[in-house]
Amino acid sequence: MPNPQPRSPVIAPLRFGPSRRFELQPEEGRLLVDGQPATLGRRALDLLIALAERPEHLLTKGELLDRVWPGLVVEEANLQMQISNLRKVLGNELIATVPGRGYRFTAQVGEAASVPPMPLSAPTATPPQPAPVASVATAAPRPAARRLIGRDPDLARLEALLQVEGCVTLVGTAGVGKTSLARLVAARWAGRSVWVDLAALDQDQQITGALARALDLHLTGHDEDAPAQLVAALDGQQLLLVLDNAEHLVQACAELASLLGPLAGVRLLVTSQVPLAVAGERVLRLEPLALVGPEAGTGAVAPDGALALLVERVIAADHRFAVTPAAQPLLHAVCAQLDGLPLALEMAAARVPLLGLQGVHDALAQRFALLTRGHRDAATRHRTLHNALEWSYALLGSTEQRLFRSLGVFADGFTLDLAVGLMTDDPQARWDVIDGLATLADRSLVVVSSEDPPRYRLLETLRAFALEQLAQQPAQADAPAGEAATVRRRHAGAVLALFSRHILSDPVTTAMCLPEMENARDALAWARGHDLAVAAQLSARIVGVTTFTIWRHESGNWLLALEPRMLESAGLALPAEVQALWWTERARVGVIRRDANARVPARRAVALWRSLGQPRQLLRATLGWVRSIAVADPELAEACAELKTLAEAIPDLTPRERLGILGALGRAAVIRGDRLAVLAVREKELALAQQLGDQDAAEAAESSIVGVLGHLSRHAEAAERGQALLARVDADGSGRNGNLPWVIGPLLEALVALGRLDEARALLPRSLAAARRFATPTLGPPLCALASAERRHGPAAQLLGHARQGYESRGMTFEPQEAALLAGVLAAASAALGVAQAERLVQQGRLLTEEAAEALATGDAP
């Protein structure tokens, strides 16, 4: 057996731990705890010596096995057992486990004979000065300086603020990394720094004693004299004093900051979830790490931000992990799900070796079960994310707790008016909600945007915690169904009240409603199962807001999902006015989607409004009835006659109503095939929309004009007007305008008819993007025409089949001009390929995915 390796010589005993209560004497082979020998075996003592010799340094399992069991082959379990023995004596805070790698000694180590405790007597003119040696920590060690990912700008700002004497408060939500940044600043501090962790204290008067212990000072006399003694001892010193986790002792810390303020050489750095609110305080609010969207590409990971931290921690936990293009979307998604919160990212990274990245992503639906593996050297409340949030929640008063958990029902943020509507019906109580919201914002539990007026939101992790707390509230006399049910009902009511204020084609009320679409989705999901009347009204109001937005298709689906229940409820308890409103919007959705059966709900809406005796609402329903009829049959003539009669009976028609009448009559002219009449009506419609300042209606009218010009074979005029319109509709290239598909379609047809195929092909990327964004197949016919004009008859036939399938799956009918265009495409394909082959390709096209159809359209298909 080889000779044991000699132990590294350690000259002086070492002291470490809270108040330096541990003294390690390597030469004597013992550990003293508060001056008394501890019971430790030789292996445990050798292991402690190895760790203490290199504090803050990662020692791998292999290194420790070689050091403690030199020349022997032993199981790793022996090392784990000795670490456990040490923690029984030292506590869990001083030895950190680095999963899969080894251990790190986190205590600050100093020579035992360095600085004897200094007695304090009454203040003197020149108080005794502690020697400027290594700082002492009560519970949180001062680590070696290292860079924090994504925190360079915050570090620079914080160090700049600390160049001036006084108090700096580092504020942020639980888990955002306040302590880590403060540790880094303390480690980089050129002079003396002292760290005091306040987390374990629960009374204000304990702060002075904790600070004295950290400074190795003995307080004398009565407790009320201690602050003055402390100030006297610090007068004239150059010192960075860090008070960590001050949010539960804010008043005492504020008093201490006021006392220390006049001391010229003392800088006070406080970490807290809420500012101290003292004179001269400088506040730096620490935000979550920056998120980079997937659109940034799948190249190298950015050097800063949430993504970089997540990747570094995953690799530290599993060296086999590689950032592949396939992993990038999942990495971005996990960062977004966790709001860039560093504590949450580190805990999620620790789960990747076991669950895989996809598994972690999926498991975040139960995030508090997943995020439970913090560092052993972290404070107890930070070892799980849930603990960290419980700590913050417990610091709130009962009123603020109720407000916080209620705000969890808001998705993607909320306005002040929505928050007030959620919490109270009493206008006098508005300021109570405002004050409560201010408290939550001060405590970093609510994020306040910089816009004016601001929006508010809970980070998704805090929102999940709020909803958990809401679900745990028992039934009360004022909420027999439980608090969660009451809050959900009020949320749906507040959202409905907002959307009921919307005025058709009014940009101001539209801008108020659109930011709340995620709230509308959640409110409607609740109402669908609990209150059909609210669900019917809300779904109808929503589709009125989203007509010219990217939400149009999705919100239409929300409304259509209610149809079975609306049919069941007809004539029952649901008020007739609610039914009439819903069937009116149901017909309008059908018209937009070219539903062949849209006339059925339209007739129902007309009948309901007629029975209610509301002429203006009846007029609006009749507009939908006219638009819903897709063939020139007697019903179309009946509906047009009814519309004209109603219009004549209302002498004070508004410009908006006249615009609607023009649009409906123009649609009827399209069905009759009277193209000159269509052109005349659309020009009047355009002029009136411009007069009203209704940009959406004006764009819709002009896109119809471009189409009519093409049908009249005025292709050059159609192309010129269409290009000018497209430049206005999509000036910023964002593709968000709801009219975009209906602008591009007629323009494509005109360019193809003129033989300007290169220009038409240049429009393909925007055409396909618009079709995806607005979930419409109406660009299918122009794409078929382009492929046919390029003599790509096989792809043209397949695209034709795909277009037919798209229309049929949505219950849509082709317009007469679209049907004629597709007939020409099929005839050309049949002539070039043969009738049988063309038909086979059409049938194949019905089976194409959207991606395959796009590849055919662009010519990228194999």
Side-chain angles (χ1 to χ4, degrees):
M1 179 181 299
N3 292 328
Q5 296 179 4
R7 186 177 355 187
S8 299
V10 180
I11 305 301
L14 303 175
R15 296 187 68 182
F16 56 87
S19 302
R20 305 180 76 183
R21 64 189 296 257
F22 298 109
E23 182 174 321
L24 177 62
Q25 299 175 341
E27 299 303 322
E28 289 78 7
R30 65 179 182 175
L31 172 70
L32 302 182
V33 182
D34 294 331
Q36 300 299 315
T39 302
L40 276 181
R42 184 174 65 85
R43 299 292 188 189
L45 187 65
D46 287 346
L47 180 57
L48 177 59
I49 293 171
L51 291 166
E53 285 177 353
R54 304 177 70 184
E56 290 299 334
H57 182 80
L58 171 65
L59 292 174
T60 67
K61 296 176 182 178
E63 289 175 316
L64 291 172
L65 289 170
D66 289 343
R67 174 70 180 272
V68 179
W69 289 272
L72 298 177
V73 178
V74 297
E75 294 293 333
E76 193 176 295
N78 289 281
L79 176 61
Q80 296 170 352
M81 182 183 68
Q82 298 303 331
I83 289 289
S84 177
N85 290 337
L86 285 176
R87 284 176 173 153
K88 290 176 183 177
V89 176
L90 304 177
N92 291 330
E93 307 292 335
L94 302 186
I95 301 176
T97 300
V98 181
R101 301 186 65 191
Y103 300 92
R104 179 185 291 116
F105 196 63
T106 61
Q108 182 178 342
V109 177
E111 291 187 2
S114 56
V115 185
M118 181 180 67
L120 267 182
S121 57
T124 59
T126 307
Q129 304 294 312
V133 297
S135 63
V136 181
T138 60
R142 176 180 177 179
R146 64 183 180 90
R147 179 175 177 273
L148 290 178
I149 291 175
R151 292 304 187 198
D152 286 351
D154 298 304
L155 175 63
R157 284 192 288 269
L158 184 54
E159 290 186 328
L161 291 173
L162 288 170
Q163 294 306 307
V164 180
E165 291 89 349
C167 174
V168 177
T169 306
L170 186 59
V171 175
T173 191
V176 80
K178 303 182 295 295
T179 296
S180 295
L181 183 58
R183 280 176 170 170
L184 179 58
V185 167
R188 289 163 53 95
W189 192 253
R192 186 182 181 213
S193 65
V194 173
W195 185 286
V196 182
D197 187 348
L198 306 180
L201 310 184
D202 55 15
Q203 298 180 24
D204 289 350
Q205 59 267 30
Q206 294 175 321
I207 292 181
T208 306
L211 183 54
R213 288 192 297 274
L215 291 164
D216 274 346
L217 304 175
H218 286 306
L219 300 178
T220 62
H222 299 290
D223 289 346
E224 58 267 22
D225 298 329
Q229 294 180 50
L230 194 62
V231 171
L234 293 177
D235 190 16
Q237 291 199 42
Q238 298 296 317
L239 174 70
L240 171 64
L241 175 59
V242 184
L243 302 181
D244 191 32
N245 304 302
E247 53 270 356
H248 61 308
L249 301 171
V250 169
Q251 183 59 41
C253 290
E255 294 172 0
L256 179 62
S258 298
L259 286 173
L260 297 180
L263 302 184
V266 176
R267 272 80 163 174
L268 179 62
L269 173 59
V270 180
T271 75
S272 173
Q273 293 176 18
V274 60
L276 301 185
V278 296
E281 177 188 26
R282 301 180 297 283
V283 177
L284 176 61
R285 189 168 291 277
L286 197 60
E287 302 292 343
L289 294 176
L291 298 173
V292 179
E295 66 276 4
T298 57
V301 175
D304 280 318
L307 183 61
L309 177 65
L310 179 61
V311 169
E312 182 189 84
R313 296 299 189 262
V314 172
I315 292 175
D318 184 357
H319 69 277
R320 300 165 298 176
F321 181 81
V323 183
T324 63
Q328 283 274 347
L330 282 174
L331 289 167
H332 285 292
V334 169
C335 290
Q337 284 176 293
L338 297 176
D339 303 299
L341 206 59
L343 178 62
L345 291 169
E346 296 209 13
M347 291 179 177
R351 293 291 190 178
V352 171
L354 178 65
L355 300 179
L357 192 57
Q358 183 69 58
V360 167
H361 173 272
D362 296 342
L364 280 173
Q366 294 84 38
R367 66 181 63 204
F368 295 123
L370 175 74
L371 304 178
T372 57
R373 294 192 63 181
H375 294 296
R376 281 197 170 92
D377 60 337
T380 301
R381 69 186 184 284
H382 281 171
R383 288 187 198 150
T384 77
L385 190 58
H386 199 271
N387 286 355
L389 298 180
E390 281 183 331
W391 165 272
S392 304
Y393 181 71
L395 297 177
L396 299 173
S398 59
T399 301
E400 286 78 19
Q401 285 183 342
R402 177 174 175 267
L403 175 60
F404 172 71
R405 60 182 181 257
S406 297
L407 294 177
V409 300
F410 285 118
D412 198 32
F414 54 94
T415 62
L416 178 60
D417 285 343
L418 279 174
V420 172
L422 178 72
M423 300 306 298
T424 181
D425 294 320
D426 181 4
Q428 302 303 317
R430 177 181 179 86
W431 281 103
D432 294 334
V433 178
I434 292 173
D435 290 343
L437 198 57
T439 297
L440 296 181
D442 283 344
R443 289 191 169 274
S444 307
L445 295 172
V446 168
V447 178
V448 185
S449 75
S450 59
E451 58 195 296
D452 189 15
R455 281 183 63 77
Y456 308 87
R457 71 183 181 96
L458 273 62
L459 297 179
E460 281 304 306
T461 300
L462 272 71
R463 182 177 180 236
F465 180 80
L467 289 174
E468 176 189 85
Q469 297 302 309
L470 182 64
Q472 292 173 358
Q473 300 307 305
Q476 302 288 344
D478 58 345
E483 185 176 315
T486 301
V487 172
R488 286 290 182 187
R489 184 175 295 280
R490 294 194 63 86
H491 175 252
V495 174
L496 175 57
L498 172 64
F499 277 73
S500 296
R501 294 166 57 190
H502 178 256
I503 300 171
L504 188 64
S505 300
D506 174 47
V508 175
T509 53
T510 298
M512 288 169 49
C513 293
L514 283 179
E516 310 305 337
M517 286 302 297
E518 295 290 351
N519 278 315
R521 184 209 303 272
D522 282 10
L524 183 56
W526 176 86
R528 196 179 295 126
H530 297 85
D531 193 326
L532 181 59
V534 171
Q537 294 176 79
L538 186 53
S539 62
R541 298 294 184 186
I542 291 170
V543 297
V545 171
T546 59
T547 301
F548 296 101
T549 73
I550 60 174
W551 287 95
R552 172 168 51 202
H553 187 75
E554 187 172 358
S555 65
N557 288 343
W558 299 345
L559 182 139
L560 294 176
L562 278 180
E563 187 160 10
R565 298 194 61 200
M566 294 300 295
L567 287 168
E568 293 170 2
S569 66
L572 300 179
L574 203 61
E577 190 164 345
V578 172
Q579 294 188 53
L581 171 66
W582 190 87
W583 286 109
T584 300
E585 295 306 318
R586 167 63 183 90
R588 198 163 69 86
V589 169
V591 168
I592 292 172
R593 297 190 177 196
R594 299 188 192 174
D595 182 352
N597 295 315
R599 65 171 76 188
V600 176
R603 285 197 299 262
R604 188 185 292 267
V606 167
L608 284 164
W609 288 121
R610 186 181 289 125
S611 69
L612 289 166
Q614 298 192 27
R616 281 199 144 84
Q617 294 292 351
L618 177 57
L619 175 68
R620 187 163 185 267
T622 306
L623 294 175
W625 184 24
V626 172
R627 288 177 173 274
S628 70
I629 303 170
V631 294
D633 61 7
E635 188 176 349
L636 179 62
E638 178 189 354
C640 288
E642 176 80 5
L643 177 60
K644 292 174 183 178
T645 300
L646 287 169
E648 291 170 358
I650 302 176
D652 57 341
L653 286 172
T654 66
R656 179 72 55 196
E657 288 168 333
R658 293 201 305 273
L659 182 63
I661 292 168
L662 279 173
L665 294 176
R667 173 65 183 168
V670 169
I671 298 302
R672 291 195 299 268
D674 189 349
R675 292 170 178 170
L676 290 176
V678 174
L679 183 60
V681 170
R682 296 304 187 205
E683 292 285 9
K684 291 178 183 178
E685 191 180 3
L686 173 60
L688 184 54
Q690 290 173 334
Q691 178 184 335
L692 285 169
D694 188 339
Q695 183 177 339
D696 289 330
E699 291 167 354
E702 193 161 5
S703 66
S704 296
I705 291 170
V706 173
V708 176
L709 290 172
H711 304 152
L712 292 169
S713 299
R714 293 160 62 175
H715 301 301
E717 189 178 350
E720 180 181 358
R721 199 156 177 173
Q723 287 174 325
L725 176 60
L726 179 60
R728 295 196 303 274
V729 166
D730 197 30
D732 60 357
S734 67
R736 293 183 174 273
N737 189 299
N739 280 312
L740 191 57
W742 288 269
V743 171
I744 292 178
L747 175 57
L748 265 177
E749 292 181 28
L751 293 172
V752 170
L754 291 169
R756 292 158 57 176
L757 303 184
D758 288 344
E759 293 177 65
R761 174 158 285 279
L763 274 178
L764 278 181
R766 295 168 85 175
S767 305
L768 298 171
R772 286 193 302 272
R773 180 180 288 274
F774 295 98
T776 173
T778 56
L779 286 168
L783 295 178
C784 295
L786 174 59
S788 181
E790 292 175 331
R791 300 185 183 279
R792 297 191 301 121
H793 297 294
Q798 290 179 281
L799 289 171
L800 189 154
H802 184 70
R804 285 181 177 173
Q805 177 63 26
Y807 273 57
E808 291 170 10
S809 66
R810 292 168 171 83
M812 295 173 58
T813 57
F814 288 110
E815 297 282 1
Q817 61 273 13
E818 290 176 330
L821 184 150
L822 292 178
V825 170
L826 182 58
S830 298
L833 306 172
V835 174
Q837 177 64 5
E839 284 296 342
R840 278 195 294 272
L841 291 171
V842 170
Q843 294 306 312
Q844 289 176 13
R846 286 180 170 274
L847 304 177
L848 290 175
T849 63
E850 293 298 329
E851 293 76 13
E854 287 187 13
L856 277 178
T858 58
D860 294 333

